[in-house]
Amino acid sequence: MQTLAHLGDGGPGPWILLFPLLWAAVIVGGITLLRRTVWRGRSGPWRPAADDNSPLTVLGNRFASGEIDEDEYWRRLSVLDEQFGRKGKGGAA
């Protein structure tokens, strides 16, 4: 420790050990900022891309835009659930 400090001959002092911590804080802060802003909506290996042409997505978009009402949405969703073999409430398969 005495080789880093050089207290007697005007060396950098023990505060030089804070530089790696400062750089680590800058890197972690930059990654956090990028994850919260730029990378938020993008897909990656941790988040698979949504299929924009899937029937469920199209149905959801039509319901959200007001093309179909709630009753029709649920009716069509139940048909799609049966067609794609999704496991529903207590159903076998």
Side-chain angles (χ1 to χ4, degrees):
M1 191 60 146
Q2 192 63 6
T3 58
L4 276 178
H6 297 291
L7 294 174
D9 58 357
W15 56 269
I16 195 163
L17 298 175
L18 293 177
F19 279 118
L21 295 175
L22 178 67
W23 279 111
V26 167
I27 291 170
V28 168
I31 290 173
T32 302
L33 181 68
L34 286 174
R35 287 187 69 196
R36 290 181 174 259
T37 57
V38 178
W39 297 336
R40 179 171 283 268
R42 295 188 182 174
S43 62
W46 58 90
R47 186 184 315 159
D51 183 16
D52 290 336
N53 295 326
S54 74
L56 294 175
T57 304
V58 172
L59 180 64
N61 289 339
R62 289 187 65 198
F63 177 62
S65 67
E67 292 180 36
I68 58 176
D69 61 352
E70 185 178 2
D71 292 332
E72 187 174 354
Y73 171 78
W74 287 112
R75 198 170 46 247
R76 290 183 181 209
L77 184 63
S78 66
V79 170
L80 289 175
D81 282 344
E82 290 175 9
Q83 179 180 358
F84 288 108
R86 290 176 51 184
K87 296 178 181 156
K89 302 172 187 168

XYZ file of all heavy atoms in Angstrom:
721
model
N 0.827 -1.186 0.000
C 0.000 0.000 0.000
C 0.871 1.249 0.000
O 0.472 2.244 -0.557
C -0.935 -0.051 1.198
C -1.995 0.979 1.144
S -2.977 0.716 -0.326
C -4.531 1.190 0.186
N 1.990 1.174 0.590
C 2.880 2.326 0.650
C 3.381 2.707 -0.747
O 3.648 3.862 -1.013
C 4.066 2.017 1.578
C 4.906 3.206 1.945
C 4.142 4.256 2.736
O 3.002 4.069 3.121
N 4.769 5.391 2.967
N 3.463 1.748 -1.669
C 3.938 2.073 -3.013
C 2.906 2.892 -3.791
O 3.270 3.686 -4.645
C 4.244 0.784 -3.806
O 3.074 0.002 -3.864
C 5.350 0.008 -3.154
N 1.618 2.719 -3.514
C 0.602 3.525 -4.188
C 0.442 4.904 -3.556
O 0.168 5.877 -4.247
C -0.748 2.811 -4.137
C -1.016 1.766 -5.195
C -2.378 1.143 -4.961
C -0.965 2.347 -6.575
N 0.636 4.979 -2.267
C 0.316 6.210 -1.564
C 1.355 7.299 -1.794
O 1.008 8.419 -2.139
C 0.170 5.940 -0.078
N 2.607 7.020 -1.611
C 3.676 8.027 -1.739
C 3.327 9.308 -0.993
O 3.387 10.397 -1.538
C 3.935 8.371 -3.214
C 4.416 7.230 -4.024
N 5.656 6.672 -3.856
C 3.825 6.540 -5.032
C 5.821 5.681 -4.720
N 4.712 5.583 -5.441
N 2.914 9.146 0.230
C 2.466 10.311 0.989
C 3.574 11.327 1.209
O 3.330 12.521 1.131
C 1.891 9.870 2.327
C 0.605 9.040 2.268
C 0.224 8.558 3.643
C -0.504 9.841 1.656
N 4.764 10.873 1.425
C 5.840 11.791 1.773
C 6.414 12.549 0.593
O 6.845 13.693 0.732
N 6.413 11.968 -0.607
C 7.096 12.627 -1.722
C 6.141 13.205 -2.772
O 6.513 13.385 -3.927
C 8.086 11.661 -2.374
C 7.422 10.396 -2.882
O 6.218 10.246 -2.671
O 8.124 9.576 -3.501
N 4.923 13.512 -2.399
C 3.989 14.198 -3.295
C 3.369 13.314 -4.365
O 2.986 13.812 -5.412
N 3.253 12.026 -4.110
C 2.647 11.116 -5.079
C 1.140 11.290 -5.134
O 0.579 12.219 -4.540
N 0.469 10.420 -5.835
C -0.968 10.597 -6.037
C -1.817 10.426 -4.782
O -2.922 10.939 -4.716
C -1.320 9.523 -7.058
C -0.257 8.507 -6.940
C 0.973 9.240 -6.513
N -1.327 9.707 -3.817
C -2.097 9.530 -2.590
C -3.067 8.372 -2.705
O -3.245 7.787 -3.772
N -3.725 8.038 -1.617
C -4.629 6.882 -1.626
C -5.907 7.104 -2.432
O -6.584 6.162 -2.795
C -4.948 6.666 -0.151
C -4.659 7.948 0.508
C -3.591 8.621 -0.287
N -6.241 8.352 -2.763
C -7.455 8.604 -3.512
C -7.389 8.062 -4.932
O -8.407 7.987 -5.623
C -7.786 10.085 -3.527
C -6.678 10.946 -4.064
C -5.690 11.526 -3.343
C -6.445 11.280 -5.421
N -4.842 12.210 -4.170
C -5.286 12.069 -5.465
C -7.083 10.991 -6.612
C -4.768 12.577 -6.631
C -6.552 11.498 -7.778
C -5.419 12.279 -7.796
N -6.218 7.674 -5.400
C -6.102 7.111 -6.750
C -6.877 5.797 -6.861
O -7.272 5.389 -7.948
C -4.628 6.912 -7.139
C -4.529 6.700 -8.643
C -4.007 5.750 -6.396
C -3.169 6.885 -9.209
N -7.131 5.149 -5.729
C -7.902 3.916 -5.747
C -9.380 4.179 -6.065
O -10.127 3.249 -6.380
C -7.778 3.199 -4.404
C -6.351 2.756 -4.038
C -6.337 2.182 -2.645
C -5.844 1.754 -5.048
N -9.824 5.418 -5.999
C -11.211 5.737 -6.304
C -11.488 5.799 -7.809
O -12.644 5.709 -8.229
C -11.604 7.063 -5.666
C -11.648 7.068 -4.145
C -11.987 8.462 -3.639
C -12.670 6.067 -3.644
N -10.449 5.960 -8.639
C -10.667 6.034 -10.084
C -11.314 4.785 -10.669
O -12.242 4.910 -11.478
C -9.362 6.366 -10.809
C -9.036 7.829 -10.777
C -7.889 8.280 -10.164
C -9.891 8.752 -11.363
C -7.588 9.616 -10.136
C -9.600 10.100 -11.335
C -8.441 10.542 -10.722
N -10.903 3.574 -10.311
C -11.622 2.404 -10.843
C -13.090 2.368 -10.408
O -13.954 1.990 -11.195
C -10.863 1.210 -10.266
C -9.519 1.730 -9.950
C -9.703 3.161 -9.588
N -13.382 2.796 -9.206
C -14.767 2.847 -8.749
C -15.562 3.901 -9.519
O -16.730 3.686 -9.854
C -14.830 3.140 -7.251
C -14.244 2.057 -6.336
C -14.268 2.541 -4.893
C -15.022 0.771 -6.490
N -14.932 5.034 -9.817
C -15.588 6.073 -10.593
C -15.902 5.576 -12.000
O -17.010 5.779 -12.504
C -14.697 7.315 -10.646
C -15.240 8.476 -11.468
C -16.470 9.045 -10.798
C -14.169 9.531 -11.632
N -14.954 4.906 -12.648
C -15.188 4.378 -13.990
C -16.270 3.294 -13.978
O -17.100 3.235 -14.893
C -13.912 3.832 -14.604
C -13.067 4.930 -15.172
C -11.874 5.377 -14.706
C -13.380 5.745 -16.306
N -11.425 6.414 -15.476
C -12.327 6.666 -16.471
C -14.449 5.799 -17.192
C -12.320 7.605 -17.492
C -14.428 6.732 -18.212
C -13.377 7.628 -18.352
N -16.273 2.457 -12.963
C -17.321 1.431 -12.862
C -18.692 2.089 -12.724
O -19.663 1.649 -13.346
C -17.044 0.503 -11.684
N -18.788 3.151 -11.938
C -20.061 3.856 -11.769
C -20.503 4.505 -13.074
O -21.697 4.481 -13.410
C -19.942 4.907 -10.671
N -19.574 5.052 -13.837
C -19.916 5.667 -15.125
C -20.415 4.614 -16.100
O -21.421 4.809 -16.792
C -18.694 6.420 -15.700
C -18.904 6.790 -17.159
C -18.391 7.651 -14.874
N -19.761 3.464 -16.165
C -20.167 2.397 -17.086
C -21.533 1.838 -16.699
O -22.412 1.668 -17.543
C -19.090 1.300 -17.130
C -17.841 1.838 -17.823
C -19.599 0.063 -17.839
C -16.633 0.930 -17.727
N -21.741 1.558 -15.417
C -23.032 1.035 -14.961
C -24.137 2.064 -15.205
O -25.232 1.716 -15.650
C -22.957 0.635 -13.469
C -24.337 0.382 -12.902
C -22.079 -0.584 -13.304
N -23.858 3.325 -14.958
C -24.844 4.374 -15.218
C -25.186 4.496 -16.695
O -26.342 4.681 -17.067
N -24.177 4.381 -17.558
C -24.425 4.440 -19.002
C -25.267 3.283 -19.488
O -26.199 3.463 -20.282
N -24.963 2.078 -19.016
C -25.743 0.902 -19.412
C -27.176 1.021 -18.903
O -28.132 0.717 -19.618
C -25.067 -0.387 -18.921
C -23.769 -0.624 -19.709
C -25.992 -1.577 -19.049
C -22.937 -1.772 -19.200
N -27.345 1.485 -17.680
C -28.679 1.659 -17.121
C -29.461 2.694 -17.923
O -30.644 2.486 -18.229
C -28.594 2.092 -15.647
O -27.865 1.109 -14.917
C -29.964 2.266 -15.042
N -28.830 3.787 -18.295
C -29.496 4.818 -19.085
C -29.907 4.283 -20.452
O -31.021 4.529 -20.919
C -28.568 6.020 -19.245
C -29.125 7.198 -20.029
C -30.255 7.841 -19.238
C -28.032 8.208 -20.302
N -29.027 3.525 -21.098
C -29.359 2.949 -22.396
C -30.498 1.944 -22.294
O -31.378 1.911 -23.153
C -28.127 2.273 -23.004
C -27.067 3.221 -23.551
C -25.835 2.435 -23.979
C -27.611 4.027 -24.709
N -30.491 1.127 -21.250
C -31.566 0.135 -21.094
C -32.908 0.799 -20.851
O -33.945 0.296 -21.263
C -31.255 -0.816 -19.942
C -30.154 -1.803 -20.300
C -29.980 -2.812 -19.241
N -31.161 -3.675 -19.216
C -31.463 -4.467 -18.216
N -30.692 -4.520 -17.163
N -32.528 -5.223 -18.258
N -32.923 1.931 -20.177
C -34.189 2.596 -19.858
C -34.690 3.468 -21.002
O -35.860 3.844 -21.011
C -34.046 3.457 -18.607
C -33.896 2.632 -17.363
C -33.794 3.546 -16.149
N -33.789 2.753 -14.950
C -34.856 2.588 -14.187
N -35.980 3.158 -14.505
N -34.786 1.860 -13.106
N -33.842 3.828 -21.965
C -34.276 4.731 -23.035
C -34.194 4.059 -24.399
O -35.203 3.726 -24.992
C -33.428 6.010 -23.035
O -32.046 5.674 -23.170
C -33.637 6.801 -21.767
N -33.017 3.834 -24.899
C -32.820 3.402 -26.277
C -33.220 1.953 -26.487
O -33.899 1.625 -27.457
C -31.340 3.607 -26.689
C -31.106 3.114 -28.094
C -30.956 5.066 -26.551
N -32.820 1.071 -25.600
C -33.043 -0.356 -25.794
C -34.387 -0.835 -25.280
O -34.678 -2.012 -25.312
C -31.953 -1.168 -25.102
C -30.587 -0.945 -25.642
C -30.251 -0.511 -26.877
C -29.361 -1.157 -24.956
N -28.901 -0.438 -26.989
C -28.326 -0.822 -25.826
C -29.047 -1.607 -23.676
C -26.999 -0.918 -25.475
C -27.726 -1.704 -23.325
C -26.711 -1.363 -24.216
N -35.255 0.031 -24.811
C -36.490 -0.384 -24.138
C -37.407 -1.210 -25.023
O -37.892 -2.247 -24.623
C -37.250 0.829 -23.628
C -38.551 0.450 -22.941
C -39.158 1.640 -22.270
N -38.467 1.950 -21.036
C -38.819 1.485 -19.855
N -39.827 0.696 -19.754
N -38.156 1.819 -18.776
N -37.677 -0.778 -26.232
C -38.654 -1.467 -27.058
C -38.073 -2.527 -27.970
O -38.796 -3.193 -28.679
N -36.775 -2.688 -27.979
C -36.158 -3.618 -28.908
C -36.167 -5.030 -28.369
O -36.151 -5.259 -27.180
C -34.716 -3.205 -29.188
C -34.651 -1.878 -29.896
C -33.269 -1.590 -30.335
N -33.236 -0.271 -30.978
C -32.153 0.307 -31.357
N -30.994 -0.281 -31.177
N -32.184 1.482 -31.928
N -36.171 -5.958 -29.304
C -36.103 -7.361 -28.895
C -34.644 -7.784 -28.870
O -33.795 -7.179 -29.500
C -36.885 -8.231 -29.863
O -36.325 -8.143 -31.152
N -34.369 -8.813 -28.150
C -33.016 -9.332 -28.051
C -33.069 -10.788 -27.672
O -34.130 -11.409 -27.695
N -31.935 -11.350 -27.331
C -31.949 -12.760 -26.968
C -32.740 -13.037 -25.699
O -33.216 -14.142 -25.500
C -30.469 -13.093 -26.772
C -29.786 -11.794 -26.583
C -30.617 -10.766 -27.281
N -32.932 -12.036 -24.866
C -33.687 -12.209 -23.628
C -35.182 -11.971 -23.849
O -35.990 -12.345 -23.035
C -33.176 -11.248 -22.561
C -33.276 -9.834 -23.005
C -34.335 -8.991 -22.820
C -32.322 -9.087 -23.736
N -34.094 -7.782 -23.396
C -32.862 -7.807 -23.955
C -31.054 -9.372 -24.232
C -32.176 -6.819 -24.656
C -30.387 -8.382 -24.912
C -30.942 -7.134 -25.120
N -35.562 -11.348 -24.960
C -36.953 -11.037 -25.224
C -37.250 -11.346 -26.693
O -36.804 -10.614 -27.563
C -37.202 -9.558 -24.952
C -38.650 -9.169 -25.051
C -38.876 -7.687 -24.867
N -38.115 -7.169 -23.755
C -37.811 -5.896 -23.608
N -38.185 -5.024 -24.492
N -37.115 -5.490 -22.574
N -37.984 -12.393 -26.981
C -38.242 -12.737 -28.383
C -39.110 -11.687 -29.063
O -39.941 -11.041 -28.434
C -38.969 -14.078 -28.310
C -39.528 -14.130 -26.942
C -38.602 -13.323 -26.061
N -38.904 -11.521 -30.349
C -39.673 -10.547 -31.113
C -41.118 -11.024 -31.265
O -41.381 -12.197 -31.447
C -39.047 -10.348 -32.484
N -42.037 -10.094 -31.185
C -43.446 -10.433 -31.348
C -43.741 -10.614 -32.833
O -43.262 -9.868 -33.667
C -44.319 -9.322 -30.771
N -44.545 -11.611 -33.138
C -44.933 -11.859 -34.513
C -46.100 -10.931 -34.850
O -47.207 -11.108 -34.363
C -45.328 -13.334 -34.680
C -45.674 -13.681 -36.110
O -45.328 -12.882 -37.012
O -46.272 -14.745 -36.324
N -45.851 -9.925 -35.698
C -46.874 -8.929 -36.000
C -48.005 -9.487 -36.854
O -49.069 -8.897 -36.924
C -46.242 -7.734 -36.719
C -45.353 -6.933 -35.793
O -45.569 -6.997 -34.573
O -44.443 -6.248 -36.292
N -47.785 -10.618 -37.502
C -48.810 -11.170 -38.374
C -49.541 -12.345 -37.748
O -50.293 -13.022 -38.438
C -48.192 -11.594 -39.712
C -47.660 -10.401 -40.472
O -48.223 -9.321 -40.401
N -46.566 -10.585 -41.182
N -49.320 -12.601 -36.474
C -50.017 -13.720 -35.844
C -51.498 -13.367 -35.699
O -51.851 -12.194 -35.530
C -49.411 -14.048 -34.482
O -49.777 -13.079 -33.538
N -52.360 -14.356 -35.781
C -53.804 -14.074 -35.675
C -54.187 -13.406 -34.356
O -55.070 -12.547 -34.330
C -54.444 -15.458 -35.791
C -53.441 -16.290 -36.497
C -52.110 -15.763 -36.100
N -53.529 -13.783 -33.270
C -53.858 -13.168 -31.977
C -53.478 -11.694 -31.958
O -54.204 -10.858 -31.400
C -53.163 -13.920 -30.852
C -53.634 -15.356 -30.626
C -52.774 -16.036 -29.568
C -55.084 -15.385 -30.237
N -52.349 -11.359 -32.573
C -51.929 -9.963 -32.628
C -52.871 -9.143 -33.499
O -53.253 -8.029 -33.144
C -50.491 -9.860 -33.162
O -49.635 -10.662 -32.355
C -49.997 -8.438 -33.149
N -53.250 -9.706 -34.643
C -54.174 -9.005 -35.533
C -55.523 -8.788 -34.841
O -56.109 -7.699 -34.916
C -54.346 -9.789 -36.855
C -55.452 -9.182 -37.713
C -53.038 -9.836 -37.624
N -55.995 -9.815 -34.151
C -57.260 -9.689 -33.426
C -57.167 -8.612 -32.345
O -58.073 -7.789 -32.190
C -57.658 -11.036 -32.808
C -58.956 -11.072 -32.021
C -60.136 -10.773 -32.943
C -59.128 -12.410 -31.336
N -56.084 -8.618 -31.607
C -55.899 -7.602 -30.568
C -55.828 -6.197 -31.145
O -56.390 -5.252 -30.576
N -55.161 -6.053 -32.281
C -55.077 -4.737 -32.918
C -56.442 -4.272 -33.426
O -56.773 -3.095 -33.323
C -54.073 -4.769 -34.073
C -52.651 -4.870 -33.589
O -52.341 -4.538 -32.448
N -51.766 -5.340 -34.451
N -57.223 -5.191 -33.976
C -58.556 -4.826 -34.449
C -59.453 -4.402 -33.289
O -60.232 -3.450 -33.410
C -59.189 -5.988 -35.205
C -58.520 -6.222 -36.558
C -59.243 -7.248 -37.370
N -60.585 -6.752 -37.704
C -61.573 -7.544 -38.105
N -61.378 -8.845 -38.215
N -62.742 -7.036 -38.387
N -59.333 -5.091 -32.158
C -60.130 -4.725 -30.981
C -59.681 -3.364 -30.439
O -60.507 -2.517 -30.083
C -60.007 -5.801 -29.910
C -60.736 -5.483 -28.642
C -62.113 -5.324 -28.630
C -60.050 -5.334 -27.453
C -62.796 -5.030 -27.460
C -60.719 -5.035 -26.277
C -62.089 -4.885 -26.282
N -58.376 -3.148 -30.424
C -57.853 -1.888 -29.894
C -58.236 -0.700 -30.777
O -58.456 0.410 -30.281
C -56.339 -1.969 -29.763
N -58.322 -0.917 -32.090
C -58.671 0.190 -32.982
C -60.169 0.421 -33.071
O -60.617 1.387 -33.683
C -58.108 -0.076 -34.380
O -58.764 -1.185 -34.980
N -60.979 -0.474 -32.486
C -62.425 -0.289 -32.466
C -63.149 -0.919 -33.642
O -64.334 -0.666 -33.838
N -62.461 -1.716 -34.442
C -63.109 -2.371 -35.583
C -64.120 -3.421 -35.128
O -65.124 -3.637 -35.798
C -62.065 -3.041 -36.479
C -61.172 -2.080 -37.210
C -60.169 -2.807 -38.076
O -60.504 -3.848 -38.656
O -59.032 -2.312 -38.157
N -63.834 -4.086 -34.007
C -64.738 -5.105 -33.493
C -65.061 -4.769 -32.043
O -64.287 -4.106 -31.356
C -64.142 -6.531 -33.597
C -62.816 -6.629 -32.848
C -63.956 -6.928 -35.051
C -62.210 -8.023 -32.831
N -66.222 -5.228 -31.589
C -66.610 -4.954 -30.208
C -66.091 -6.070 -29.281
O -65.477 -7.037 -29.724
C -68.119 -4.780 -30.076
C -68.893 -6.027 -30.477
O -68.280 -6.964 -30.998
O -70.122 -6.048 -30.253
N -66.367 -5.910 -28.000
C -65.825 -6.831 -27.007
C -66.378 -8.247 -27.160
O -65.632 -9.228 -27.044
C -66.107 -6.306 -25.600
C -65.467 -7.132 -24.521
C -65.711 -6.579 -23.129
O -66.416 -5.563 -22.992
O -65.193 -7.189 -22.171
N -67.672 -8.356 -27.442
C -68.275 -9.688 -27.608
C -67.646 -10.443 -28.768
O -67.328 -11.634 -28.665
C -69.785 -9.571 -27.820
C -70.501 -9.072 -26.571
O -69.976 -9.334 -25.465
O -71.553 -8.436 -26.710
N -67.485 -9.740 -29.882
C -66.870 -10.383 -31.049
C -65.414 -10.752 -30.772
O -64.923 -11.796 -31.198
C -66.964 -9.473 -32.266
C -66.491 -10.139 -33.541
C -66.726 -9.279 -34.770
O -67.363 -8.220 -34.660
O -66.258 -9.683 -35.838
N -64.718 -9.882 -30.036
C -63.321 -10.169 -29.681
C -63.221 -11.472 -28.893
O -62.415 -12.345 -29.216
C -62.741 -9.006 -28.868
C -61.384 -9.307 -28.277
C -60.242 -9.267 -29.060
C -61.240 -9.637 -26.930
C -58.998 -9.542 -28.534
C -60.002 -9.921 -26.390
C -58.886 -9.867 -27.192
O -57.652 -10.150 -26.664
N -64.045 -11.617 -27.856
C -63.975 -12.824 -27.021
C -64.422 -14.064 -27.787
O -63.870 -15.148 -27.608
C -64.804 -12.657 -25.752
C -64.154 -11.720 -24.781
C -64.604 -10.484 -24.421
C -62.927 -11.918 -24.088
N -63.726 -9.900 -23.543
C -62.679 -10.768 -23.306
C -62.000 -12.954 -24.033
C -61.561 -10.620 -22.502
C -60.882 -12.810 -23.225
C -60.675 -11.661 -22.476
N -65.397 -13.908 -28.659
C -65.855 -15.032 -29.469
C -64.743 -15.518 -30.404
O -64.447 -16.704 -30.488
C -67.093 -14.601 -30.261
C -67.922 -15.711 -30.796
C -69.270 -15.266 -31.364
N -69.181 -14.101 -32.240
C -69.689 -12.895 -31.973
N -70.314 -12.683 -30.831
N -69.590 -11.912 -32.825
N -64.106 -14.585 -31.075
C -63.016 -14.956 -31.994
C -61.793 -15.467 -31.242
O -61.092 -16.345 -31.716
C -62.641 -13.768 -32.867
C -63.714 -13.438 -33.867
C -63.309 -12.310 -34.758
N -64.378 -12.000 -35.685
C -64.164 -11.492 -36.880
N -62.947 -11.225 -37.285
N -65.183 -11.226 -37.670
N -61.544 -14.896 -30.073
C -60.405 -15.358 -29.278
C -60.600 -16.807 -28.832
O -59.650 -17.601 -28.851
C -60.203 -14.456 -28.062
C -58.993 -14.767 -27.185
C -57.704 -14.575 -27.966
C -59.003 -13.882 -25.955
N -61.819 -17.176 -28.468
C -62.069 -18.563 -28.059
C -61.864 -19.519 -29.233
O -61.344 -20.617 -29.065
C -63.463 -18.716 -27.472
O -64.437 -18.493 -28.456
N -62.235 -19.094 -30.437
C -62.011 -19.932 -31.621
C -60.521 -20.078 -31.887
O -60.025 -21.172 -32.180
C -62.743 -19.333 -32.852
C -62.323 -20.054 -34.121
C -64.238 -19.397 -32.655
N -59.777 -18.990 -31.767
C -58.323 -19.051 -31.988
C -57.647 -19.912 -30.926
O -56.695 -20.623 -31.225
C -57.731 -17.649 -31.999
C -58.068 -16.798 -33.228
C -57.518 -15.388 -33.059
C -57.513 -17.440 -34.486
N -58.130 -19.846 -29.703
C -57.559 -20.683 -28.642
C -57.744 -22.160 -28.967
O -56.842 -22.967 -28.756
C -58.196 -20.363 -27.290
C -57.654 -19.093 -26.676
O -56.592 -18.625 -27.120
O -58.294 -18.575 -25.744
N -58.913 -22.515 -29.488
C -59.154 -23.909 -29.857
C -58.315 -24.316 -31.060
O -57.765 -25.402 -31.109
C -60.632 -24.112 -30.174
C -61.534 -24.029 -28.974
C -63.001 -24.106 -29.349
O -63.291 -24.398 -30.530
O -63.835 -23.861 -28.474
N -58.192 -23.417 -32.017
C -57.478 -23.725 -33.247
C -55.982 -23.919 -32.998
O -55.365 -24.813 -33.550
C -57.676 -22.610 -34.270
C -56.944 -22.859 -35.583
C -57.162 -21.712 -36.573
O -57.878 -20.761 -36.282
N -56.536 -21.816 -37.710
N -55.398 -23.106 -32.171
C -53.967 -23.181 -31.927
C -53.623 -24.110 -30.778
O -52.463 -24.266 -30.425
C -53.389 -21.788 -31.671
C -53.331 -20.943 -32.910
C -54.190 -19.881 -33.089
C -52.426 -21.230 -33.912
C -54.144 -19.124 -34.228
C -52.365 -20.478 -35.058
C -53.237 -19.425 -35.223
N -54.603 -24.718 -30.156
C -54.349 -25.706 -29.118
C -53.812 -25.137 -27.830
O -53.120 -25.820 -27.088
N -54.103 -23.899 -27.549
C -53.663 -23.324 -26.274
C -54.447 -23.945 -25.158
O -55.637 -24.191 -25.263
C -53.855 -21.814 -26.273
C -52.890 -21.126 -27.210
C -53.146 -19.654 -27.293
N -53.225 -19.050 -25.973
C -53.508 -17.783 -25.776
N -53.766 -16.994 -26.775
N -53.551 -17.293 -24.549
N -53.784 -24.203 -24.065
C -54.443 -24.812 -22.913
C -55.266 -23.766 -22.190
O -54.747 -22.780 -21.711
C -53.404 -25.432 -21.988
C -52.671 -26.571 -22.661
C -51.628 -27.151 -21.778
C -50.935 -28.262 -22.532
N -49.639 -28.554 -22.087
N -56.546 -23.986 -22.160
C -57.441 -23.024 -21.546
C -57.718 -23.367 -20.093
O -56.968 -24.094 -19.438
N -58.851 -22.916 -19.623
C -59.224 -23.085 -18.218
C -59.592 -24.526 -17.937
O -60.690 -24.956 -18.262
C -60.398 -22.184 -17.890
C -60.126 -20.729 -18.158
C -61.380 -19.918 -17.998
C -61.139 -18.486 -18.422
N -62.357 -17.739 -18.553
N -58.700 -25.301 -17.386
C -58.998 -26.650 -16.966
C -59.161 -27.652 -18.102
O -59.578 -28.766 -17.881
N -58.864 -27.248 -19.329
C -59.038 -28.164 -20.456
C -57.864 -29.106 -20.586
O -56.746 -28.813 -20.218
N -58.148 -30.294 -21.126
C -57.072 -31.254 -21.363
C -56.392 -30.923 -22.675
O -56.933 -30.241 -23.521
C -57.642 -32.663 -21.414
N -55.183 -31.442 -22.862
C -54.374 -31.307 -24.077
C -53.273 -30.415 -23.859
O -52.644 -29.702 -23.614
C -55.181 -30.841 -25.269
